[in-house]
Structures are given as C-alpha cells and as structure tokens.
Amino acid sequence: MAEVSLRHIKKVYPNSERTSKKGLFGRKKADDGARKASSLRITDEGVLAVPDFNLDIADREFVVFVGPSGCGKSTTLRMIAGLEEITDGELYIDGKLMNDVAPKDRDIAMVFQSYALYPHMTVRDNLAFPLKLRKMDKQTIDAKVNEAAETLGITEFLDRKPKALSGGQRQRVAIGRAIVREPKVLLMDEPLSNLDAKLRNQMRAEIIKLRKRIDSTFIYVTHDQTEAMTLGDRIVIMKDGEVQQVGTPQEVFEHPSNLFVAGFIGVPQMNFFDAELVRDGNAYSVHVGDAIVVPSAEKQARLAAQDVASQSITLGIRPEHISLASGDAATLVGTVDVSEMMGSSVHVHLDSLGQDVIVIVPTTEIEGPYQDHFFAGAKVEYAFGGNVIHMFSKDEQGTNLEF
Amino acid sequence: MDKQQTLAAERRNKAILSVVLAAICILWVLPVVAVVINSFKLNTFVKTDTFALPTSESWAGMANFVKGMTFGNYPFKSSVLYSVVITVLSTGLILVFCSMAAWYIARVDSLFCKALYFLCVFSMVVPFQMVMFTLSKTADVLKLNTPWTIPIVYLGFGAGLAIFMFVGFVKSIPLEIEEAAAIDGCGPVRTFFSVVLPMLKPTLISVGILEIMWVWNDYLLPVLVLDINKYRTIPIHIQYLKGSYGTVDLGATMALILLSIIPVIIFYLACQKHIIKGVAAGAVKG
Ligand SMILES: Nc1ncnc2c1ncn2[C@@H]1O[C@H](COP(=O)(O)OP(=O)(O)OP(=O)(O)O)[C@@H](O)[C@H]1O
Ligand SMILES: [Mg+2]
C-alpha cells in the first residue's frame, strides 16, 4: 500500500531558540545533559542531527531503526511523521513528495514511547478520535473500534480512562489508536521501552502477529538490538545520525559492515582481537597471538577481490562461534575470570591476550557441575574456524575488509 | 536526642501551630461574622453592640434586606443584572483568550513569546492606582464604559495572572499528546479545543474562581469607568446606600454585603475540590 523513500534527508536543529514553525507550532525541547553529552556535530547553523539519510522502504515492509541513544532515530522518524521539519532532502510516501504536507494529511499513524493518550477521554473515545476527525459515520466507527479493541484484547477496558490502566494496557490502547485508521505507514518510537522485560517480550510477539493482520508499512525505532533482530524485515543501524548498515537481521549479524555494527548487534558482544593479516599471493592468513587462522576460501576470495594488502587488523569472533577444542591448529589459551550460568549455556569470561574474551559453552557439552571446569583461574584452550571470523581495518571507521 | 523526645517535640510544635493558625482564622472570619450578625440588627444597635448577637430588642428580621434593596432611586435588580453580566462576560473572555494565548506562549519558543510572557508577569506588579486615571479617559474614548464593553478592560487587567497560571500548567502537559492529535487529524484550532482545553480544566476552574471573585467584588474600576447614573454594580449600589441618605444605614449596608458574598461562597464551595488541585498543578510545574 505504501512505499516510503527518503532521499538525502538532512536535519539541522537551528541554533537559535526559535524552532521552525511546522506541524502545530514546531516543537520545543529542553536539551538535557544526556543530549549535550552525545557526540554531536555542531555547525554554524545548529545541531546536525541527521546529515544524509537515504533509504527505500517497500510496501508492507517492517523496517527497524536501531542505534545508541542520540543517534537520530527519533529525529528521522519524526521527519517522516511531519512533526519535525526536513532541513534538506526529499521524503516520498507512495511516490508523493511529503516534505510540506501536514502530519494529518500524510496518512500515517504514530505510537509514542510515552503513549500520549488523551487523558480526558475514555479508551473508546481515544480509539474513535482519529476516526471521528475523518468524519466517518457512527456505525463504522463503532465497528472499527470494537475490532481493534478485540485484536489487542482491550475490550473490557473500553469505558475506562487511561489513568485507570496499567502501562501495558495503555500501550495496547496507544497501538489500537494507531491501527484503527489503517494508516499507510505505522510509525513506532520505542513503544515497548516503558514496559518490564516480560511484558516487552509478550508485546513483541503481539506486534509480530499484528503486522500480519494489517497492510501498513511499519517503521519501528528502538535501541534494543533484540527487538530489532526479532521484529525487522530489515534493520537500519545508525550512529551519530549516519546509517552504518541496512540489511536483513541475518545479513547484519553475519556480515557486519564495520566494527560498530559488529559490536552493536549480538549479545553477548562480539570479541575483538588485535591481529595481523598476512597476504601471500592470493592466499591470506590471520596471525593472532601464537595462532594462525586461515580464512575460509570464500573470505579469501573476497579479500583478494578487494585487493586487500597485509596489515594490522581488528579480528572479530562472536562468542557463540568459539569452541573449547584442544589439538586444533588455531588454539589460544585463556584464564577463566568469571563464568555465568545462563541455563542452556554457560558464558565464560576469559582473560586472554590481555583482554576479556567471552565464550559461550552449551550446557550439553559440559560434564558434571560447570564450576569444576570453569572455576576462576582455570586454564582453558579455545579455537575458532576460519569461516566465522570478521576482519576490520584498524582505522577509525573499522570497515569490514571483505566489503 | 532519642526518638520519643523528638516525637513529643513535634507534637508540641504542631499544637502551637494549630493555636496560632486558629487565631488567624478567627481574625479572618470575624468581619464576615460581623456582617452576618449585623445584617439582622436594627440600625441603631449596629454601632453600639457591633459584636453582640441580635436580641429580641435589636432583631430587625428581614427589614434591612428589604430596605437595602428598595433604597434610593436606583433599582437593585439592575445592579444585580449588571454585576452578573460584567462578571460572566469578563471571566468568560479571560478564560477563553488567556488560555489560548498561554498555549501559544508555552509552545512557541520565540523572542516575541518571551517578551509577551514577561509583559504579562510585569502587568501583575503594576498597581491599578497607577493607571486608573488615564484608563478612565481611554475607556470613555473607546466606548468601553458600558457593562457590555467593560469586560474588555477586565480582560486586560486579568490577563497577567491568568496567562501566568495557564502557561505554568500548559508546560506540564507532555507535548506528545498534542503531536498525537496533529497526526490523528487535528489542526491547531481542533487540537486546542478538543485536546488542550479539556486537559486545562482544573486550571480553568481555579483561574475562573479567582477572576469571578475579583470582578464581582471590584468597586474602583466600574466606579471610574461606568456612567454611575445609568449603570451600577452591587458594590456601587452598596456605596450609594450611605451617600444618598446623609446618615449611613449600616444595617442595610450589611444586609446587601451579605447578599453579595453569598453567590461567591456558594460558587467557591462548589468548585473547591478543583481549585486546590488546579492551583497546585499550575504552581508546582511553573
Ligand atoms: N529540539 C532539539 N534541538 C536541538 N537538538 C536536538 C533536538 N532534538 C534532538 N536533538 C539532537 O539530535 C540528536 C538526535 O536526537 P534523537 O532524539 O533523534 O535521538 P534518538 O536516536 O531518538 O535517541 P534516544 O534513543 O535517546 O531516543 C541528539 O543528539 C539530540 O541532541
Ligand atoms: Mg528517541
């Protein structure tokens, strides 16, 4: 129903106290300490929140913007919503230029982190409000409200005011208000971050179910990588206003484009080692500590295609890709610091090559109590194959050398 | 010091505080009590036994009320009518215009709005006596000297406090709610009336009460601006009870004062629940 295209979208928050007059009257926001602390580029014109954002979102796609706090996720979302003026660039929804279209005419709906329900209206009126404004007749409104309420399981609260609801129930109402209208694009700004862990998992599952039922295009903002991985068809990873990588959850997990993405996606975090990449003709090898790892043929081919020379690199290996093998060619040794029992696996923190290395050991591979093997100070040998390594340049960007 | 001692000290302090506050309360209520008592006494007893309860000898019944209302050559019901008209129109104007203005001031971050806001706050500290003479001239020229137009003058004088209180409250309303309204399909006007105004209800009530009490009781402004021969409000009417008769009929005066405070008290009691919430809501987040 709706494709969304962002072309060279740029956002500068003006320096002066006067904010742009857009939407209602423009918005005002006290800049708190956290905002000041984030690494912003402050230019003559003001705060450069988003320098150049390009993305094409397909019809009915579920796209997740993810990144650390202050990276411009909300800003981008709000520009799509029309709550924030677009400094430069073009926004298209369904092929129509939307830069100067009022929020109400964009056929979008938004779920706010703070729910933003109308406190003086009952849940029913909250849900019906956007429909009433579209001058639908009473019967249609009732039918749609009841249907949305049923979908979200809030039928029994329809006649209560928002203040008589729990956080999770309020969140459902907020989502309900967004979906009754069947908007072309459904925007969500960290809708689950005010909920406790259990409820968040439950709501996440419900959002997955919900998106199958409705035809809207979803754009979802979160700083939680688990939410991004589980919900998104595609993930947009951002840092300091710039897009680091766009891809399916599997792509960004398996082929992170740079160090930042590699570190951001996946829990526990990827392990990083200082290493040397050695090129010999079209053959590559990686020297880390005393071990030598040979990248898979596929990786070697890609490195050769990029004509990558011998150099110092940052080597990345995910904790789940490290095995506790002995006798393997590429073995490294570490001393156990702490080990955490997670149920199905044990997270072993090793002190190896002067840094913290995390290894995930499935419980099924451990005989007897895990403390017998991974007590503090125990020596552990570990290894990893050449097919799971990630090689990043040593410069500031830390780009993946395979790209 | 051990705990028990502090508790005892605390209790003692509370007792002292209660006594002091009670004394202040009595001082405060005394004039009202005097008005109530004396409005039922014969005129001659008002001066001599001011604080005595009416006795069978001094009891005047409803005579004072009847006298006060029928006194002189100006009909009391016109005074009531004009008082009501002026109070209702003024308060209405103040509530509607000041809440809108405050919303704009609170939401738009511009120098103009800052200036406007400080102008309003500043207007609260300018005493009325400083502007009253130029005002009465200006009001004559602009034809603001009738009960139907004087509310505009009240709007000017009431705007300072009202805008100050409304701005404080609007700032405590999360912006997201208005943004949600904008996305749901409201323009600014719709947003204001369907979303912001209902949320302002507690402040509307507290500002309303303050303005009603002020306008209803105000004497100086109408006396200076209105044409006294044509238009009198209740306070002016009460004032003329003594002017027109040489000697002061205190009994009748008290009776009319009592009549004029009854509506305010009823209104206040009816809205009391809201005013406390509203004042706190506006003040804390200001
Ligand atoms: N009104 C504003 N004026 C000036 N700078 C702003 C304003 N709003 C946001 N910014 C800046 O723009 C940057 C991006 O902010 P944004 O709210 O989009 O971050 P975010 O990715 O949503 O972060 P979070 O996860 O904390 O919500 C921030 O660094 C912030 O300091
Ligand atoms: Mg945000």
Side-chain angles (χ1 to χ4, degrees):
Chain A
M1 211 163 51
E3 295 103 42
V4 181
S5 301
L6 296 99
R7 299 272 152 74
H8 302 291
I9 294 281
K10 174 176 167 187
K11 176 68 196 179
V12 176
Y13 287 106
N15 256 332
S16 77
E17 289 180 323
R18 270 151 288 176
T19 34
S20 54
K21 291 205 179 168
K22 176 80 187 181
L24 281 180
F25 299 139
R27 87 196 197 115
K28 212 161 99 175
K29 197 177 198 178
D31 44 340
D32 43 59
R35 294 194 178 276
K36 285 201 185 109
S38 70
S39 57
L40 286 176
R41 278 127 312 159
I42 297 167
T43 63
D44 287 344
E45 309 145 69
V47 182
L48 181 58
V50 178
D52 184 12
F53 194 104
N54 289 290
L55 186 67
D56 281 303
I57 301 170
D59 181 26
R60 302 196 58 184
E61 198 178 17
F62 197 124
V63 169
V64 180
F65 294 172
V66 67
S69 189
C71 69
K73 311 178 292 284
S74 299
T75 305
T76 311
L77 194 76
R78 294 169 55 85
M79 284 193 284
I80 298 172
L83 298 172
E84 211 72 73
E85 194 169 11
I86 299 172
T87 311
D88 209 358
E90 287 128 41
L91 167 72
Y92 296 94
I93 297 178
D94 250 358
K96 285 199 267 310
L97 186 66
M98 285 290 163
N99 287 39
D100 295 317
V101 177
K104 66 186 169 84
D105 302 322
R106 293 190 183 195
D107 201 0
I108 46 147
M110 183 156 169
V111 179
F112 293 84
Q113 179 177 357
S114 59
Y115 316 137
L117 298 174
Y118 307 119
H120 56 286
M121 297 183 195
T122 60
V123 170
R124 186 188 300 281
D125 291 337
N126 264 284
L127 295 183
F129 190 63
L131 302 178
K132 277 186 194 148
L133 291 173
R134 275 169 182 70
K135 310 240 178 328
M136 292 188 183
D137 63 275
K138 186 126 187 9
Q139 261 174 326
T140 326
I141 293 180
D142 280 346
K144 281 180 187 265
V145 166
N146 288 335
E147 191 195 326
E150 206 134 310
T151 307
L152 291 160
I154 47 174
T155 311
E156 52 189 307
F157 314 121
L158 275 179
D159 294 310
R160 288 201 210 162
K161 292 263 177 77
K163 69 166 181 273
L165 298 178
S166 74
Q169 291 159 351
R170 280 180 210 181
Q171 189 57 72
R172 281 160 205 266
V173 178
I175 294 175
R177 188 179 61 186
I179 63 169
V180 272
R181 252 167 54 202
E182 294 158 25
K184 277 188 193 160
V185 185
L186 188 54
L187 308 170
M188 300 189 169
D189 192 352
E190 309 204 13
L192 306 185
S193 60
N194 281 347
L195 306 179
D196 66 49
K198 189 159 168 244
L199 205 52
R200 207 178 310 161
N201 288 342
Q202 192 186 333
M203 284 301 290
R204 212 168 60 204
E206 290 196 21
I207 290 178
I208 294 175
K209 274 190 248 161
L210 187 71
R211 73 148 303 193
K212 297 219 174 82
R213 292 199 192 192
I214 61 176
D215 291 331
S216 304
T217 304
F218 279 69
I219 304 178
Y220 187 103
V221 163
T222 179
H223 58 252
D224 182 67
Q225 62 97 29
T226 321
E227 259 172 46
M229 297 289 280
T230 49
L231 287 174
D233 291 335
R234 273 198 302 163
I235 302 181
V236 178
I237 297 146
M238 298 175 68
K239 181 193 169 202
D240 295 341
E242 289 185 68
V243 176
Q244 304 293 310
Q245 189 172 7
V246 182
T248 64
Q250 195 176 355
E251 274 166 16
V252 296
F253 187 80
E254 288 177 358
H255 304 289
S257 67
N258 60 30
L259 261 181
F260 175 78
V261 176
F264 194 81
I265 299 292
V267 251
Q269 224 196 359
M270 187 185 274
N271 296 304
F272 296 111
F273 301 90
D274 289 330
E276 289 293 329
L277 180 68
V278 178
R279 177 175 186 173
D280 180 12
N282 269 351
Y284 288 87
S285 59
V286 177
H287 299 242
V288 51
D290 297 331
I292 295 174
V293 190
V294 181
S296 65
E298 202 184 327
K299 284 184 189 289
Q300 292 203 34
R302 261 188 248 141
L303 289 175
Q306 296 286 324
D307 198 21
V308 178
S310 296
Q311 58 184 292
S312 297
I313 58 164
T314 305
L315 180 68
I317 302 113
R318 297 205 180 274
E320 49 272 54
H321 292 152
I322 298 180
S323 53
L324 294 177
S326 43
D328 213 303
T331 5
L332 290 163
V333 183
T335 332
V336 176
D337 254 342
V338 226
S339 50
E340 300 166 310
M341 181 65 192
M342 308 301 282
S344 61
S345 62
V346 177
H347 292 184
V348 184
H349 293 249
L350 300 174
D351 184 4
S352 174
L353 302 175
Q355 62 197 18
D356 191 42
V357 177
I358 304 177
V359 181
I360 297 182
V361 186
T363 338
T364 46
E365 292 179 9
I366 303 172
E367 275 173 44
Y370 73 98
Q371 291 97 331
D372 291 356
H373 303 271
F374 306 115
F375 52 90
K379 285 259 181 294
V380 173
E381 277 184 41
Y382 62 96
F384 39 84
N387 54 340
V388 293
I389 59 172
H390 304 276
M391 292 157 286
F392 304 100
S393 70
K394 268 280 183 203
D395 57 15
E396 221 173 291
Q397 283 83 33
T399 44
N400 194 328
L401 293 171
E402 288 175 50
F403 286 90
Chain B
M1 223 202 274
D2 66 286
K3 216 173 193 161
Q4 244 167 353
Q5 243 173 333
T6 26
L7 276 182
E10 206 170 287
R11 216 171 300 143
R12 196 171 51 238
N13 287 346
K14 266 191 189 147
I16 295 172
L17 204 62
S18 304
V19 171
V20 172
L21 289 179
I24 294 175
C25 272
I26 289 170
L27 275 178
W28 211 251
V29 173
L30 217 51
V32 182
V33 174
V35 167
V36 175
I37 298 171
N38 289 317
S39 61
F40 293 102
K41 281 197 280 197
L42 288 171
N43 192 18
T44 44
F45 290 90
V46 175
K47 270 185 217 156
T48 50
D49 305 313
T50 310
F51 288 101
L53 287 173
T55 59
S56 56
E57 192 187 356
S58 64
W59 177 255
M62 287 294 135
N64 284 334
F65 293 87
V66 176
K67 207 200 255 164
M69 283 193 265
T70 54
F71 222 57
N73 50 9
Y74 195 85
F76 183 66
K77 59 175 200 295
S78 306
S79 299
V80 174
L81 176 73
Y82 290 137
S83 269
V84 169
V85 165
I86 293 173
T87 308
V88 170
L89 284 183
S90 304
T91 310
L93 279 183
I94 289 172
L95 292 183
V96 172
F97 284 104
C98 294
S99 56
M100 287 191 208
W103 185 49
Y104 190 86
I105 289 175
R107 290 304 189 215
V108 180
D109 196 9
S110 68
L111 271 179
F112 171 70
C113 286
K114 276 226 169 82
L116 207 62
Y117 181 68
F118 282 111
L119 206 64
C120 287
V121 175
F122 178 69
S123 80
M124 285 196 290
V125 289
V126 177
F128 177 67
Q129 285 75 1
M130 217 166 104
V131 294
M132 63 185 188
F133 288 109
T134 44
L135 172 77
S136 57
K137 272 247 170 62
T138 319
D140 278 345
V141 173
L142 297 177
K143 298 271 176 287
L144 299 176
N145 52 3
T146 71
W148 317 103
T149 50
I150 200 174
I152 294 172
V153 181
Y154 274 111
L155 173 61
F157 282 104
L161 178 68
I163 286 181
F164 178 72
M165 288 180 69
F166 279 127
V167 167
F169 190 77
V170 171
K171 281 190 173 158
S172 72
I173 300 177
L175 195 56
E176 276 84 11
I177 297 179
E178 288 155 44
E179 290 177 341
I183 289 177
D184 280 347
C186 296
V189 177
R190 215 34 214 261
T191 305
F192 182 75
F193 286 104
S194 307
V195 176
V196 179
L197 207 57
M199 286 194 284
L200 284 177
K201 198 175 112 200
T203 318
L204 282 172
I205 291 174
S206 19
V207 173
I209 289 174
L210 290 177
E211 304 295 350
I212 283 176
M213 291 203 289
W214 164 53
V215 179
W216 180 261
N217 292 327
D218 195 26
Y219 170 74
L220 201 49
L221 178 57
V223 108
L224 285 171
V225 171
L226 292 179
D227 179 352
I228 303 299
N229 295 322
K230 271 204 269 181
Y231 310 113
R232 288 182 192 172
T233 60
I234 295 175
I236 299 175
H237 192 99
I238 293 171
Q239 174 67 14
Y240 270 74
L241 282 183
K242 84 178 186 197
S244 59
Y245 215 66
T247 58
V248 188
D249 189 331
L250 278 176
T253 308
M254 296 295 174
L256 284 200
I257 290 177
L258 181 60
L259 281 186
S260 79
I261 57 181
I262 285 174
V264 178
I265 290 178
I266 291 175
F267 186 72
Y268 183 87
L269 290 179
C271 302
Q272 194 191 24
K273 199 173 73 203
H274 302 279
I275 192 176
I276 288 156
K277 205 161 73 180
V279 168
V284 174
K285 300 275 184 144

